[in-house]
Amino acid sequence: MKKLLYIPLFLFLALLGSCDDMEDYNPAPDENETDITEIGTAEMYILSEGLFNLNNSALARYTFKNNQLVPSYFLRINQRGLGDTANDMALYGSKLYVVVNVSSQLEVIDFPTGKTLKRIPVLTANGSSRQPRNIAFHKEKAYLCSFDGTVARIDTASLAIEEYVTVGRNPDDLCVQNAKLYVSNSGGLDQPHYDNTVSVIDIATFKELKKITVGNNPGKIAADDYGNVFVSVRGDLTSESSSLVQIDSKTDEVLRTIHEPVLDFAIDNERMYLYSYNHHTKSSAFKVYDLLKETIIQHNFIQDGTQITTPYAITVNPYSGNVYMTDAYDYKVRGDVLCFDQQGVLQFRLNNVGINPNAIVFSDIASKSVIDDDEKDPDAPSAFASKVLAYVPAPGQFMNTTASAYRAGYTEKEVLAYATEQVKNRSLISLGAYGGYIILGFDQTIPNVVGAYDFKIYANANYNSSITGAKAGSSEPGIVLVSKDSNGNGLPDDEWYELAGSEYHSDKVIQNYEITYYRPSGVLTDVRWTDNQGGEGVIPRNTYHTTNDYYPAWVTQDQLTFVGSRLPNNGVQAADGSDSWLQYQFPWGYADNHPNNSEYAQFKIDWAVDSAGNAVMLDGVDFVKIYTAVNQVCGWMGENSTEVSTIENLHFNNNTNN
């Protein structure tokens, strides 16, 4: 169950004396992965509702640049707590909105600084609590539903409540579709005598148009991209009584009832990720529903055996497409945040984020608030890559998004500057399909310490923990080259040397492989390619990235040609006949090949060879080049595309600026 208010009263009473107050500050706990990266994402905010009547709701911030978790982010900045039972959170414009149910407040926070702007009381005329529940936005207005049977309209500029409209009993959630508000009326405080309707409100007149009967105890409600509204009908919170209802916003009639138990869900393009949880049997299920095929396409989304004790929230990171879930355990201890890729493989887990974490918000822009007293000068010399000297990605599903350092209208120069910013923030950058490359520079020359690892490349490869023996999971290997600034001009125009990885002498590697990509004649179409081996194919569009062109928009040429070595295909479809794919790791020597916490994410300059394959002894390097080295499409996952976050000089000298 996502919201604590539906837990039986005896459980609340048992918990009243069992919880300590919030800790003031904790870096990422030791058990957390310390090298977490996310495509195009700077920060993540996690709302935890705490325990009923204990006044211990909390807002945490996780910064991907330095992998820092601040569990009591709001408390540290504002020197007070959020209040009692925070239910919902949303980022709209430059403000972060937090709905605090029992305290009957809407907390409005200035996103850049983390400081509160205003606490809006949500009270009746006689001063009693309306118990606000969830929030939605449309054209500079916020809409807030409350358990007293109302929806408030709030101006996001003045932060004043303008008007209320009456809906059904105990409205639980709301969304916007087709210039209308859809509000799920749960009647949850009257269980087992639930409400069973969805109210439709015309936004222009702010009047209720009708009520749609959907089934007992409707909860989560959300709009898709095709004019539909979906609502979970929870019944008495058992699998036997819950379902998913689809509403057509043109007719405001129920289009279909999907007889699948659904407690909460998240929509991402054509896919819906959903889970059910039976409070009587303590069992859960995680599935994937295809909105276009109108069917469940995965009956077990989690592929690697990861266990979630008590699922409490689900959402999708809009910048990476990764699926986030929270685990509340027994509702008394601090819960966790788990991040899965689109294959259902765990990417990382943040432990102890807060009690009953129920909402997550992502930002591609870092806030300006300072938590650490010893904040370092951002311009001080760093062990990590400090500049992008070249970025020429091949076509791919992440092109023309923040994951390719692109914003609408950017020129090549602006893309390069943004790529440098992304690397400094340790955000993932996609190199696209085979041949796409990036060149990084450093504040200091990386010295060659013979026999030691000299630098580390951070990316997002992972292992599938359910696979034994060979290393398999998510590997999109890139070949690594190095160069020394021999002419001293600060540019990567000297000779390049490949770091000979484990496959360098394999007869399965194609040397001098050349591929050419062609700009599509129409928008939103596949990108065609040919190679010098007589091969041809396309970079196909997939269901996860449907609104962006796959050919780099800032590139003026209608053809892109890349030359290098091609590694053998490493993606294999699962043997069970499902549509899952495993991408096997090569033993060593490639970027985005092994997880960041593996020894094999590190590299030795000793491995350098010249174009003839002869070993070369370099005393140090100033530039590192990485290019995608596999030309393979892995089904619905799309093309193999190396991603890079940053590179660390493992011999960085803090005592010199040279």
Side-chain angles (χ1 to χ4, degrees):
M1 180 173 60
K2 181 177 179 181
K3 307 299 184 184
L4 197 60
L5 286 174
Y6 286 132
I7 298 175
L9 181 60
F10 73 87
L11 180 55
F12 288 132
L13 298 177
L15 298 179
L16 287 180
S18 63
C19 178
D20 294 330
D21 199 3
M22 295 178 293
E23 296 177 22
D24 183 48
Y25 167 76
N26 272 326
D30 292 340
E31 64 268 35
N32 288 332
E33 169 64 55
T34 57
D35 292 319
I36 295 170
T37 54
E38 262 286 45
I39 290 176
T41 312
E43 295 176 344
M44 170 173 62
Y45 293 80
I46 307 156
L47 182 68
S48 296
E49 69 189 33
L51 292 173
F52 181 73
N53 276 345
L54 286 186
N55 205 42
N56 60 350
S57 297
L59 176 62
R61 183 189 70 179
Y62 188 85
T63 306
F64 287 94
K65 178 180 179 180
N66 56 13
N67 301 128
Q68 182 190 76
L69 173 67
V70 183
S72 303
Y73 175 71
F74 180 87
L75 175 64
R76 281 181 58 83
I77 291 177
N78 296 282
Q79 300 302 304
R80 64 171 175 83
L82 279 170
D84 200 337
T85 318
N87 275 166
D88 194 23
M89 171 177 61
L91 180 60
Y92 188 73
S94 63
K95 302 181 184 77
L96 192 64
Y97 296 79
V98 178
V99 181
V100 189
N101 177 270
V102 177
S103 296
S104 205
Q105 301 276 350
L106 177 61
E107 188 85 50
V108 185
I109 301 167
D110 180 55
F111 171 74
T113 64
K115 296 180 179 179
T116 186
L117 294 172
K118 186 175 183 179
R119 299 180 80 183
I120 304 174
V122 188
L123 306 172
T124 64
N126 64 10
S128 62
S129 172
R130 291 185 184 271
Q131 293 186 275
R133 190 68 168 163
N134 278 287
I135 195 166
F137 298 86
H138 183 69
K139 294 185 177 179
E140 312 306 319
K141 303 292 183 183
Y143 296 91
L144 181 67
C145 66
S146 297
F147 266 165
D148 74 327
T150 62
V151 173
R153 185 180 66 203
I154 303 168
D155 184 80
T156 57
S158 66
L159 299 179
I161 297 177
E162 296 179 330
E163 190 176 359
Y164 288 93
V165 62
T166 300
V167 288
R169 289 185 291 121
N170 309 140
D172 197 44
D173 200 7
L174 72 172
C175 70
V176 176
Q177 181 71 287
N178 196 19
K180 290 175 283 189
L181 280 172
Y182 292 81
V183 186
S184 59
N185 302 309
S186 71
L189 296 185
D190 296 330
Q191 59 177 310
H193 306 294
Y194 298 107
D195 199 332
N196 62 359
T197 63
V198 167
S199 289
V200 184
I201 300 171
D202 176 60
I203 289 180
T205 62
F206 202 48
K207 303 295 183 183
E208 185 184 61
L209 298 175
K210 66 181 296 187
K211 285 186 173 73
I212 307 169
T213 300
V214 294
N216 285 343
N217 195 12
K220 173 64 177 285
I221 192 166
D224 69 9
D225 295 331
Y226 311 101
N228 300 301
V229 173
F230 289 85
V231 58
S232 66
V233 175
R234 299 167 298 189
D236 61 1
L237 303 180
T238 65
S239 298
E240 294 75 22
S241 64
S242 62
S243 61
L244 185 69
V245 172
Q246 181 179 351
I247 298 170
D248 185 339
S249 70
K250 295 179 182 178
T251 63
D252 289 330
E253 300 288 344
V254 171
L255 190 61
R256 64 176 49 84
T257 297
I258 303 155
H259 295 287
E260 286 285 343
V262 179
L263 186 59
D264 199 1
F265 62 91
I267 294 174
D268 183 38
N269 295 318
E270 291 90 344
R271 296 198 174 201
M272 175 190 293
Y273 300 90
L274 56 92
Y275 73 79
S276 61
Y277 182 73
N278 189 312
H279 285 80
H280 301 291
T281 63
K282 309 298 182 186
S283 60
S284 57
F286 306 86
K287 302 181 181 182
V288 182
Y289 180 84
D290 191 303
L291 301 180
L292 299 183
K293 297 178 181 178
E294 300 176 353
T295 187
I296 295 291
I297 57 173
Q298 282 184 259
H299 286 274
N300 186 12
F301 169 66
I302 299 177
Q303 295 289 307
D304 60 1
T306 299
Q307 297 295 313
I308 299 180
T309 305
T310 309
Y312 212 57
I314 186 169
T315 190
V316 175
N317 182 341
Y319 306 107
S320 69
N322 286 336
V323 181
Y324 282 69
M325 301 184 198
T326 69
D327 192 338
Y329 294 105
D330 64 355
Y331 308 110
K332 296 182 290 185
V333 299
R334 289 177 179 270
D336 300 343
V337 170
L338 297 88
C339 171
F340 295 86
D341 66 16
Q342 295 163 349
Q343 285 185 281
V345 176
L346 184 68
Q347 303 296 291
F348 61 83
R349 184 180 197 127
L350 289 179
N351 298 298
N352 305 319
V353 298
I355 299 171
N356 300 316
N358 64 2
I360 302 173
V361 164
F362 304 91
S363 174
D364 63 338
I365 301 173
S367 62
K368 300 175 182 178
S369 58
V370 176
I371 294 295
D372 296 316
D373 294 332
D374 58 344
E375 188 82 5
K376 295 181 179 179
D377 178 359
D379 297 321
S382 170
F384 295 90
S386 58
K387 49 186 172 289
V388 177
L389 295 122
Y391 175 52
V392 185
Q397 60 188 299
F398 291 110
M399 288 308 105
N400 307 313
T401 70
T402 55
S404 65
Y406 181 78
R407 292 181 184 272
Y410 267 20
T411 64
E412 181 178 354
K413 182 178 180 180
E414 289 171 321
V415 167
L416 198 61
Y418 190 24
T420 293
E421 180 183 334
Q422 293 286 77
V423 165
K424 288 184 176 180
N425 288 332
R426 297 181 65 179
S427 296
L428 284 169
I429 295 180
S430 174
L431 306 186
Y434 177 86
Y437 68 87
I438 192 169
I439 298 175
L440 301 178
F442 304 85
D443 290 331
Q444 294 179 3
T445 297
I446 303 175
N448 181 2
V449 177
V450 177
Y453 289 111
D454 302 306
F455 60 89
K456 178 176 181 178
I457 299 177
Y458 293 80
N460 67 337
N462 66 74
Y463 298 145
N464 187 325
S465 59
S466 67
I467 304 296
T468 58
K471 295 293 187 183
S474 174
S475 171
E476 299 178 289
I479 286 176
V480 181
L481 300 94
V482 295
S483 180
K484 183 176 175 61
D485 188 17
S486 299
N487 60 18
N489 66 355
L491 300 175
D493 54 4
D494 294 287
E495 187 172 357
W496 285 98
Y497 304 96
E498 182 176 336
L499 297 189
S502 60
E503 309 308 295
Y504 184 77
H505 296 289
S506 170
D507 58 6
K508 296 180 180 179
V509 174
I510 302 176
Q511 306 289 344
N512 299 311
Y513 180 74
E514 181 176 310
I515 191 170
T516 298
Y517 300 95
Y518 304 90
R519 187 190 300 275
S521 56
V523 297
L524 303 182
T525 56
D526 297 342
V527 178
R528 186 174 69 90
W529 60 263
T530 59
D531 65 21
N532 63 351
Q533 306 296 305
E536 62 179 344
V538 298
I539 304 300
R541 301 185 64 79
N542 61 39
T543 60
Y544 292 104
H545 302 93
T546 60
T547 60
N548 58 301
D549 289 326
Y550 283 18
Y551 194 95
W554 66 93
V555 172
T556 58
Q557 305 97 312
D558 289 334
Q559 297 181 14
L560 279 171
T561 298
F562 300 94
V563 180
S565 296
R566 175 180 168 181
L567 296 176
N569 292 348
N570 68 324
V572 177
Q573 193 165 7
D576 61 6
S578 69
D579 59 356
S580 297
W581 284 74
L582 294 173
Q583 295 164 308
Y584 283 82
Q585 277 83 9
F586 295 116
W588 52 271
Y590 303 99
D592 199 13
N593 183 46
H594 287 271
N596 293 333
N597 59 358
S598 166
E599 172 187 357
Y600 304 112
Q602 301 175 106
F603 297 80
K604 298 180 180 180
I605 298 174
D606 286 345
W607 299 339
V609 295
D610 62 20
S611 58
N614 301 310
V616 175
M617 181 55 65
L618 302 170
D619 59 0
V621 299
D622 298 289
F623 310 109
V624 175
K625 178 180 180 179
I626 303 166
Y627 68 87
T628 301
V630 173
N631 182 14
Q632 182 182 16
V633 173
C634 295
W636 59 268
M637 291 173 55
E639 75 288 345
N640 252 351
S641 57
T642 302
E643 278 92 43
V644 177
S645 170
T646 189
I647 302 176
E648 181 183 6
N649 176 355
L650 297 178
H651 309 307
F652 177 72
N653 184 355
N654 274 313
N655 298 319
T656 177
N657 292 337
N658 295 328

